Coordinates of all heavy atoms in Angstrom, one line a residue:
L4 N 57.7 162.2 104.9 CA 56.6 161.9 104.0 C 56.8 160.7 103.2 O 57.9 160.5 102.7 CB 56.3 163.1 103.1 CG 55.8 164.4 103.8 CD1 55.7 165.5 102.8 CD2 54.4 164.1 104.4
S5 N 55.8 159.9 103.0 CA 55.9 158.7 102.2 C 54.8 158.8 101.1 O 53.6 159.0 101.4 CB 55.7 157.5 103.0 OG 55.6 156.3 102.2
E6 N 55.2 158.5 99.9 CA 54.2 158.6 98.8 C 53.2 157.4 98.9 O 52.1 157.5 98.3 CB 54.9 158.5 97.5 CG 55.7 159.8 97.1 CD 56.2 159.8 95.7 OE1 55.7 159.1 94.8 OE2 57.2 160.5 95.6
S7 N 53.5 156.4 99.7 CA 52.5 155.3 99.9 C 51.5 155.7 101.0 O 50.5 155.0 101.1 CB 53.3 154.1 100.4 OG 53.9 154.3 101.6
D8 N 51.7 156.8 101.7 CA 50.7 157.3 102.6 C 49.4 157.8 101.9 O 49.5 158.6 101.0 CB 51.3 158.4 103.4 CG 50.4 158.9 104.6 OD1 49.2 158.7 104.5 OD2 50.9 159.6 105.5
P9 N 48.2 157.3 102.3 CA 47.0 157.7 101.6 C 46.8 159.2 101.7 O 46.1 159.8 100.8 CB 45.9 157.0 102.3 CG 46.6 155.9 103.1 CD 48.0 156.3 103.3
Q10 N 47.3 159.9 102.7 CA 47.2 161.3 102.8 C 48.4 162.1 102.4 O 48.6 163.2 102.8 CB 46.8 161.6 104.3 CG 45.5 161.1 104.7 CD 45.1 161.6 106.0 OE1 45.9 162.1 106.8 NE2 43.8 161.4 106.4
F11 N 49.2 161.5 101.5 CA 50.5 162.1 101.1 C 50.3 163.5 100.5 O 51.0 164.4 100.8 CB 51.2 161.2 100.1 CG 52.4 161.8 99.5 CD1 53.6 162.0 100.2 CD2 52.3 162.3 98.2 CE1 54.7 162.6 99.6 CE2 53.4 163.0 97.6 CZ 54.6 163.1 98.3
L12 N 49.3 163.6 99.6 CA 49.1 164.9 98.9 C 48.7 166.0 99.9 O 49.2 167.1 99.8 CB 48.1 164.7 97.8 CG 48.5 163.9 96.6 CD1 47.4 163.8 95.6 CD2 49.8 164.5 95.9
I13 N 47.8 165.6 100.8 CA 47.4 166.6 101.8 C 48.6 167.0 102.7 O 48.8 168.2 102.9 CB 46.3 166.0 102.7 CG1 45.0 165.8 101.8 CG2 46.0 166.9 103.9 CD1 44.0 164.9 102.5
K14 N 49.4 166.1 103.1 CA 50.5 166.4 104.0 C 51.6 167.2 103.2 O 52.2 168.1 103.8 CB 51.1 165.1 104.6 CG 50.2 164.4 105.6 CD 50.8 163.1 106.0 CE 49.9 162.4 107.0 NZ 50.4 161.1 107.5
K15 N 51.8 166.8 102.0 CA 52.8 167.5 101.2 C 52.3 169.0 101.0 O 53.2 169.9 101.1 CB 53.0 166.9 99.8 CG 53.8 167.6 98.8 CD 55.0 166.9 98.4 CE 55.8 167.5 97.4 NZ 56.3 168.9 97.7
E16 N 51.1 169.2 100.7 CA 50.5 170.6 100.5 C 50.7 171.4 101.8 O 51.1 172.5 101.8 CB 49.1 170.5 100.1 CG 48.5 171.8 99.8 CD 47.0 171.7 99.3 OE1 46.8 170.9 98.3 OE2 46.2 172.3 99.9
E17 N 50.5 170.8 102.9 CA 50.6 171.4 104.2 C 52.1 171.8 104.5 O 52.4 172.9 104.9 CB 50.0 170.6 105.4 CG 50.1 171.3 106.7 CD 49.4 172.6 106.8 OE1 48.4 172.8 106.1 OE2 49.7 173.4 107.7
L18 N 53.0 170.8 104.2 CA 54.4 171.1 104.4 C 54.9 172.2 103.4 O 55.7 173.1 103.9 CB 55.2 169.8 104.1 CG 56.7 169.9 104.4 CD1 57.0 170.3 105.8 CD2 57.4 168.6 104.1
D19 N 54.4 172.2 102.2 CA 54.8 173.3 101.3 C 54.3 174.7 101.8 O 55.0 175.7 101.7 CB 54.2 173.0 99.9 CG 54.9 171.8 99.2 OD1 56.0 171.4 99.6 OD2 54.3 171.3 98.2
S20 N 53.1 174.7 102.3 CA 52.5 175.9 102.9 C 53.3 176.4 104.1 O 53.6 177.6 104.3 CB 51.1 175.6 103.3 OG 50.5 176.7 104.0
L21 N 53.7 175.4 105.0 CA 54.6 175.8 106.1 C 55.9 176.3 105.7 O 56.5 177.2 106.3 CB 54.8 174.6 107.0 CG 53.6 174.2 107.9 CD1 53.9 172.9 108.6 CD2 53.3 175.3 108.9
A22 N 56.5 175.8 104.6 CA 57.8 176.2 104.0 C 57.6 177.7 103.6 O 58.5 178.5 103.8 CB 58.2 175.3 102.9
L23 N 56.5 178.0 102.9 CA 56.3 179.4 102.5 C 56.2 180.3 103.7 O 56.8 181.4 103.7 CB 55.0 179.5 101.6 CG 55.1 179.0 100.2 CD1 53.8 179.0 99.5 CD2 56.1 179.8 99.4
L24 N 55.4 179.9 104.7 CA 55.3 180.7 105.9 C 56.7 180.9 106.6 O 57.0 181.9 107.1 CB 54.3 180.1 106.9 CG 54.0 180.8 108.2 CD1 53.6 182.2 107.9 CD2 52.9 180.0 108.9
S25 N 57.4 179.8 106.6 CA 58.8 179.9 107.2 C 59.7 180.9 106.5 O 60.4 181.7 107.2 CB 59.4 178.5 107.1 OG 60.8 178.5 107.5
K26 N 59.6 181.0 105.2 CA 60.4 182.0 104.4 C 59.9 183.4 104.8 O 60.7 184.3 104.9 CB 60.3 181.7 102.9 CG 61.0 180.5 102.5 CD 60.9 180.3 101.0 CE 61.7 179.0 100.6 NZ 61.5 178.7 99.2
S27 N 58.6 183.6 104.9 CA 58.1 184.9 105.3 C 58.6 185.2 106.7 O 58.9 186.4 107.0 CB 56.5 184.8 105.3 OG 56.0 186.0 105.8
I28 N 58.6 184.3 107.6 CA 59.0 184.5 109.0 C 60.5 184.9 109.0 O 61.0 185.8 109.7 CB 58.7 183.3 109.9 CG1 57.2 183.3 110.1 CG2 59.4 183.4 111.2 CD1 56.7 182.0 110.8
Q29 N 61.3 184.2 108.2 CA 62.7 184.5 108.1 C 62.9 185.9 107.6 O 63.8 186.6 108.1 CB 63.4 183.5 107.1 CG 63.6 182.2 107.7 CD 64.2 181.2 106.6 OE1 64.0 181.4 105.4 NE2 65.0 180.2 107.1
K30 N 62.1 186.4 106.7 CA 62.3 187.7 106.1 C 61.7 188.8 106.9 O 62.3 189.8 107.1 CB 61.6 187.7 104.7 CG 61.9 189.0 103.9 CD 61.3 188.9 102.5 CE 61.6 190.2 101.8 NZ 61.1 190.1 100.4
H31 N 60.5 188.6 107.5 CA 59.7 189.6 108.2 C 59.5 189.4 109.7 O 59.1 190.3 110.3 CB 58.4 189.8 107.5 CG 58.4 190.1 106.1 ND1 58.8 191.2 105.5 CD2 58.1 189.3 105.0 CE1 58.8 191.2 104.2 NE2 58.3 190.0 103.9
G32 N 59.8 188.2 110.1 CA 59.5 187.9 111.5 C 58.0 187.5 111.7 O 57.3 187.5 110.7
L33 N 57.6 187.3 112.9 CA 56.2 186.9 113.1 C 55.4 188.2 113.2 O 55.8 189.2 113.9 CB 56.0 186.2 114.5 CG 56.2 184.7 114.5 CD1 56.0 184.2 115.9 CD2 55.3 184.0 113.5
I34 N 54.3 188.3 112.5 CA 53.5 189.5 112.5 C 52.5 189.4 113.7 O 52.3 190.4 114.4 CB 52.7 189.6 111.2 CG1 53.7 189.9 110.1 CG2 51.7 190.8 111.3 CD1 53.0 189.8 108.7
H35 N 52.0 188.2 114.0 CA 51.2 187.9 115.1 C 51.8 186.9 116.0 O 52.2 185.8 115.5 CB 49.8 187.4 114.7 CG 49.1 188.3 113.8 ND1 48.5 189.5 114.3 CD2 48.8 188.3 112.5 CE1 47.9 190.1 113.3 NE2 48.1 189.4 112.2
P36 N 52.0 187.2 117.3 CA 52.7 186.2 118.2 C 51.8 185.0 118.4 O 50.6 185.1 118.3 CB 52.9 187.0 119.5 CG 51.8 188.0 119.5 CD 51.6 188.4 118.0
V37 N 52.4 183.9 118.8 CA 51.7 182.7 119.2 C 51.2 182.9 120.6 O 51.7 183.8 121.3 CB 52.5 181.4 119.1 CG1 53.0 181.1 117.7 CG2 53.7 181.4 120.0
I38 N 50.2 182.2 121.0 CA 49.6 182.4 122.3 C 49.8 181.1 123.1 O 49.5 180.0 122.7 CB 48.1 182.7 122.2 CG1 47.9 184.0 121.4 CG2 47.4 182.7 123.6 CD1 46.5 184.2 121.0
V39 N 50.4 181.3 124.3 CA 50.6 180.2 125.2 C 50.0 180.5 126.6 O 49.7 181.7 126.9 CB 52.2 179.9 125.4 CG1 52.8 179.5 124.1 CG2 52.9 181.1 126.0
Y40 N 49.8 179.5 127.4 CA 49.4 179.7 128.8 C 50.2 178.8 129.7 O 50.7 177.7 129.3 CB 47.8 179.4 128.9 CG 47.4 178.0 128.5 CD1 47.3 177.1 129.5 CD2 47.1 177.7 127.2 CE1 46.8 175.8 129.2 CE2 46.6 176.4 126.9 CZ 46.5 175.5 127.9 OH 46.1 174.2 127.6
K41 N 50.3 179.2 130.9 CA 51.1 178.5 131.9 C 50.4 177.2 132.4 O 49.1 177.2 132.5 CB 51.3 179.4 133.2 CG 52.2 180.6 132.9 CD 52.4 181.4 134.2 CE 53.2 182.6 133.8 NZ 53.4 183.5 135.0
T42 N 51.2 176.2 132.5 CA 50.7 174.9 133.1 C 51.7 174.4 134.0 O 52.8 173.9 133.5 CB 50.4 173.9 132.0 OG1 51.6 173.6 131.2 CG2 49.3 174.3 131.0
G43 N 51.5 174.5 135.3 CA 52.5 174.0 136.2 C 53.9 174.6 136.0 O 54.0 175.8 136.1
D44 N 54.9 173.8 135.6 CA 56.2 174.3 135.4 C 56.5 174.7 134.0 O 57.6 175.2 133.6 CB 57.3 173.3 135.8 CG 57.2 173.0 137.3 OD1 56.8 173.9 138.0 OD2 57.7 171.9 137.7
G45 N 55.5 174.6 133.1 CA 55.7 174.9 131.7 C 54.6 175.7 131.0 O 53.9 176.4 131.7
Y46 N 54.6 175.6 129.7 CA 53.6 176.3 129.0 C 53.0 175.4 127.9 O 53.6 174.5 127.4 CB 54.2 177.5 128.3 CG 54.8 178.5 129.2 CD1 56.1 178.4 129.7 CD2 54.0 179.6 129.7 CE1 56.6 179.3 130.6 CE2 54.5 180.5 130.6 CZ 55.8 180.4 131.0 OH 56.3 181.3 131.9
K47 N 51.7 175.7 127.5 CA 51.1 175.0 126.4 C 50.7 176.0 125.3 O 50.3 177.1 125.6 CB 49.8 174.3 126.9 CG 50.1 173.0 127.6 CD 48.9 172.1 127.6 CE 49.3 170.8 128.1 NZ 48.3 169.8 127.8
L48 N 50.8 175.6 124.1 CA 50.4 176.4 123.0 C 48.9 176.4 122.8 O 48.2 175.3 122.8 CB 51.0 175.8 121.7 CG 50.9 176.5 120.4 CD1 51.6 177.9 120.5 CD2 51.5 175.7 119.3
A49 N 48.3 177.6 122.8 CA 46.8 177.7 122.7 C 46.4 178.1 121.3 O 45.4 177.7 120.8 CB 46.3 178.8 123.7
A50 N 47.3 178.9 120.6 CA 47.0 179.3 119.3 C 48.3 179.7 118.6 O 49.2 180.2 119.2 CB 46.1 180.6 119.3
G51 N 48.3 179.3 117.3 CA 49.5 179.6 116.5 C 50.4 178.4 116.2 O 51.6 178.6 116.0
E52 N 49.8 177.2 116.1 CA 50.5 176.0 115.8 C 51.3 176.1 114.5 O 52.5 175.8 114.5 CB 49.6 174.8 115.8 CG 50.4 173.5 115.5 CD 49.5 172.3 115.5 OE1 48.3 172.4 115.7 OE2 50.0 171.2 115.3
R53 N 50.7 176.6 113.4 CA 51.4 176.7 112.1 C 52.5 177.7 112.2 O 53.6 177.5 111.7 CB 50.4 177.2 111.0 CG 49.4 176.1 110.7 CD 48.5 176.4 109.5 NE 49.3 176.2 108.3 CZ 49.8 177.2 107.5 NH1 49.6 178.4 107.8 NH2 50.4 176.8 106.4
R54 N 52.3 178.9 112.9 CA 53.4 179.8 113.1 C 54.5 179.3 113.9 O 55.7 179.5 113.6 CB 52.8 181.1 113.7 CG 52.0 181.9 112.8 CD 51.3 183.1 113.5 NE 50.0 182.5 114.1 CZ 49.4 183.0 115.1 NH1 49.8 184.1 115.7 NH2 48.3 182.4 115.6
F55 N 54.2 178.5 114.9 CA 55.2 177.8 115.7 C 56.0 176.8 114.9 O 57.3 176.9 114.9 CB 54.6 177.1 116.9 CG 55.6 176.3 117.7 CD1 56.5 177.0 118.5 CD2 55.6 175.0 117.7 CE1 57.4 176.3 119.3 CE2 56.5 174.2 118.4 CZ 57.4 174.9 119.2
L56 N 55.3 176.0 114.1 CA 56.0 175.0 113.3 C 56.9 175.7 112.2 O 58.0 175.3 111.9 CB 55.0 174.0 112.7 CG 54.3 173.1 113.6 CD1 53.2 172.3 112.9 CD2 55.3 172.1 114.3
A57 N 56.3 176.7 111.6 CA 57.1 177.4 110.5 C 58.3 178.1 111.1 O 59.3 178.2 110.5 CB 56.2 178.4 109.8
S58 N 58.2 178.6 112.4 CA 59.3 179.2 113.1 C 60.4 178.2 113.3 O 61.6 178.5 113.2 CB 58.9 179.8 114.4 OG 58.0 180.9 114.1
L59 N 60.0 176.9 113.6 CA 61.0 175.9 113.8 C 61.7 175.6 112.5 O 62.9 175.4 112.4 CB 60.3 174.6 114.3 CG 59.8 174.6 115.7 CD1 59.1 173.3 116.0 CD2 60.9 174.8 116.7
L60 N 60.9 175.5 111.4 CA 61.5 175.3 110.1 C 62.5 176.5 109.7 O 63.5 176.3 109.0 CB 60.4 175.2 109.0 CG 59.6 173.9 109.0 CD1 58.5 174.0 107.9 CD2 60.5 172.7 108.7
A61 N 62.2 177.7 110.2 CA 63.0 178.8 109.9 C 64.2 178.9 110.8 O 65.0 179.8 110.8 CB 62.2 180.1 110.1
K62 N 64.3 177.9 111.7 CA 65.4 177.8 112.7 C 65.5 179.0 113.6 O 66.6 179.4 114.0 CB 66.7 177.5 111.9 CG 66.7 176.2 111.1 CD 68.1 175.9 110.6 CE 68.2 174.8 109.7 NZ 67.4 173.6 109.9
K63 N 64.3 179.5 114.0 CA 64.3 180.6 114.9 C 64.6 180.1 116.3 O 64.0 179.1 116.7 CB 62.9 181.3 114.9 CG 62.6 182.1 113.7 CD 63.5 183.3 113.6 CE 63.1 184.2 112.5 NZ 63.9 185.4 112.4
E64 N 65.5 180.7 117.0 CA 65.8 180.3 118.4 C 64.8 180.8 119.4 O 64.4 180.2 120.4 CB 67.2 180.8 118.8 CG 67.7 180.3 120.1 CD 69.1 180.7 120.4 OE1 69.8 181.2 119.5 OE2 69.5 180.5 121.5
F65 N 64.2 182.0 119.1 CA 63.2 182.7 119.9 C 62.1 183.2 119.0 O 62.4 183.6 117.9 CB 63.8 183.9 120.6 CG 65.0 183.5 121.5 CD1 66.3 183.7 121.2 CD2 64.7 183.0 122.8 CE1 67.3 183.4 122.0 CE2 65.7 182.7 123.7 CZ 67.0 182.9 123.2
I66 N 60.9 183.1 119.5 CA 59.7 183.7 118.8 C 58.9 184.5 119.7 O 59.0 184.3 120.9 CB 58.9 182.6 118.1 CG1 58.3 181.6 119.1 CG2 59.7 181.8 117.0 CD1 57.3 180.7 118.5
E67 N 58.1 185.4 119.1 CA 57.2 186.2 119.9 C 56.0 185.4 120.4 O 55.4 184.7 119.7 CB 56.7 187.4 119.1 CG 57.8 188.4 118.7 CD 58.6 187.9 117.4 OE1 58.1 187.0 116.8 OE2 59.7 188.5 117.2
V68 N 55.7 185.6 121.7 CA 54.6 184.9 122.3 C 53.8 185.9 123.2 O 54.3 186.9 123.6 CB 54.9 183.7 123.1 CG1 55.7 182.6 122.3 CG2 55.8 184.1 124.3
R69 N 52.5 185.6 123.3 CA 51.7 186.3 124.3 C 51.3 185.2 125.3 O 50.8 184.1 125.0 CB 50.4 186.8 123.6 CG 49.6 187.6 124.5 CD 48.6 188.4 123.7 NE 47.8 189.2 124.7 CZ 46.7 189.8 124.4 NH1 46.3 189.8 123.1 NH2 46.1 190.5 125.3
V70 N 51.6 185.5 126.6 CA 51.5 184.5 127.7 C 50.3 184.9 128.5 O 50.1 186.0 129.0 CB 52.8 184.5 128.5 CG1 52.6 183.5 129.6 CG2 54.0 184.3 127.7
F71 N 49.4 183.9 128.7 CA 48.3 184.0 129.6 C 48.6 183.2 130.9 O 49.3 182.1 130.8 CB 47.0 183.4 129.0 CG 46.4 184.3 128.0 CD1 46.9 184.5 126.7 CD2 45.2 185.0 128.3 CE1 46.4 185.4 125.8 CE2 44.7 185.9 127.4 CZ 45.2 186.1 126.1
D72 N 48.1 183.6 132.0 CA 48.3 182.9 133.3 C 47.5 181.6 133.3 O 47.9 180.6 134.0 CB 47.9 183.7 134.5 CG 48.9 184.8 134.7 OD1 50.1 184.7 134.4 OD2 48.5 185.9 135.2
E73 N 46.4 181.5 132.5 CA 45.6 180.3 132.5 C 45.0 180.2 131.0 O 45.2 181.1 130.2 CB 44.4 180.4 133.5 CG 43.5 181.6 133.3 CD 42.5 181.7 134.4 OE1 42.7 181.2 135.5 OE2 41.4 182.2 134.1
R74 N 44.5 179.0 130.7 CA 44.0 178.7 129.4 C 43.0 179.7 129.0 O 41.9 179.9 129.7 CB 43.4 177.3 129.3 CG 43.1 176.9 127.9 CD 42.6 175.4 127.9 NE 42.7 174.9 126.6 CZ 41.7 175.0 125.7 NH1 40.6 175.6 126.0 NH2 41.8 174.4 124.5
P75 N 43.2 180.4 127.8 CA 42.2 181.4 127.4 C 40.9 180.7 126.9 O 40.9 179.6 126.4 CB 42.8 182.1 126.2 CG 44.2 181.6 126.1 CD 44.3 180.4 127.0
T76 N 39.8 181.4 127.1 CA 38.5 180.8 126.7 C 38.4 180.9 125.1 O 39.2 181.7 124.5 CB 37.3 181.5 127.3 OG1 37.3 182.9 126.8 CG2 37.4 181.5 128.8
E77 N 37.5 180.2 124.5 CA 37.3 180.3 123.1 C 37.0 181.8 122.7 O 37.5 182.3 121.7 CB 36.2 179.4 122.6 CG 36.5 177.9 122.7 CD 37.7 177.5 121.9 OE1 37.8 178.0 120.7 OE2 38.5 176.8 122.4
N78 N 36.2 182.5 123.5 CA 35.9 183.9 123.2 C 37.1 184.8 123.2 O 37.3 185.6 122.4 CB 34.8 184.4 124.1 CG 33.4 183.9 123.8 OD1 33.1 183.5 122.7 ND2 32.5 183.9 124.8
E79 N 38.0 184.5 124.2 CA 39.2 185.3 124.3 C 40.1 185.1 123.1 O 40.7 186.0 122.6 CB 39.9 185.0 125.6 CG 39.3 185.5 126.9 CD 39.9 185.0 128.1 OE1 40.4 183.8 128.2 OE2 39.9 185.7 129.1
L80 N 40.2 183.8 122.7 CA 41.0 183.5 121.5 C 40.5 184.2 120.3 O 41.2 184.6 119.4 CB 41.1 182.0 121.3 CG 41.9 181.2 122.4 CD1 41.8 179.7 122.1 CD2 43.4 181.7 122.3
R81 N 39.2 184.2 120.1 CA 38.6 184.9 119.0 C 38.9 186.4 119.0 O 39.1 187.0 117.9 CB 37.1 184.7 118.9 CG 36.7 183.3 118.4 CD 35.2 183.2 118.2 NE 34.8 181.9 118.2 CZ 34.0 181.3 119.2 NH1 33.6 182.0 120.1 NH2 33.8 180.0 119.2
L82 N 38.9 187.0 120.2 CA 39.1 188.4 120.3 C 40.6 188.8 120.0 O 40.9 189.9 119.6 CB 38.7 189.0 121.7 CG 37.2 189.0 121.9 CD1 36.9 189.3 123.4 CD2 36.5 190.0 121.0
I83 N 41.4 187.9 120.4 CA 42.9 188.1 120.2 C 43.2 188.0 118.7 O 43.9 188.6 118.1 CB 43.7 187.1 121.0 CG1 43.4 187.2 122.4 CG2 45.2 187.3 120.7 CD1 43.9 186.0 123.2

């Protein structure tokens, strides 16, 4: 982060929020798994970007995920 960035305050607030979520994940783990779907040889994140980033900050080696064979529709994501 750079204080000369016009969006510094927004980015700092988001980073602080992720740090709080990271502490919660360290203490309690993930309450809701992130959602991924298969793409060729890998996976793509469909939902849970903040939880994923906070898990990285918490230095989690493994996190809980729910895996779909294909990209979930918007309606499926809302139901989950």
Side-chain angles (χ1 to χ4, degrees):
L4 289 176
S5 170
E6 290 187 26
S7 63
D8 184 340
Q10 295 188 345
F11 172 77
L12 293 177
I13 294 168
K14 291 178 181 178
K15 172 119 176 57
E16 186 176 303
E17 181 61 25
L18 185 58
D19 291 344
S20 175
L21 284 173
L23 285 174
L24 181 56
S25 173
K26 287 180 184 178
S27 173
I28 290 170
Q29 286 174 331
K30 185 174 182 179
H31 305 289
L33 276 179
I34 296 171
H35 299 288
V37 298
I38 299 169
V39 298
Y40 62 94
K41 292 181 183 179
T42 60
D44 293 337
Y46 297 89
K47 281 202 170 195
L48 185 64
E52 181 180 0
R53 292 186 78 252
R54 286 171 277 157
F55 175 74
L56 292 173
S58 294
L59 290 177
L60 288 175
K62 299 189 186 322
K63 290 289 187 180
E64 188 174 349
F65 300 99
I66 62 171
E67 295 81 12
V68 299
R69 185 162 181 195
V70 181
F71 283 75
D72 289 329
E73 57 187 32
R74 188 175 197 273
T76 66
E77 291 299 319
N78 286 336
E79 288 173 325
L80 288 174
R81 283 189 202 111
L82 291 173
I83 300 166

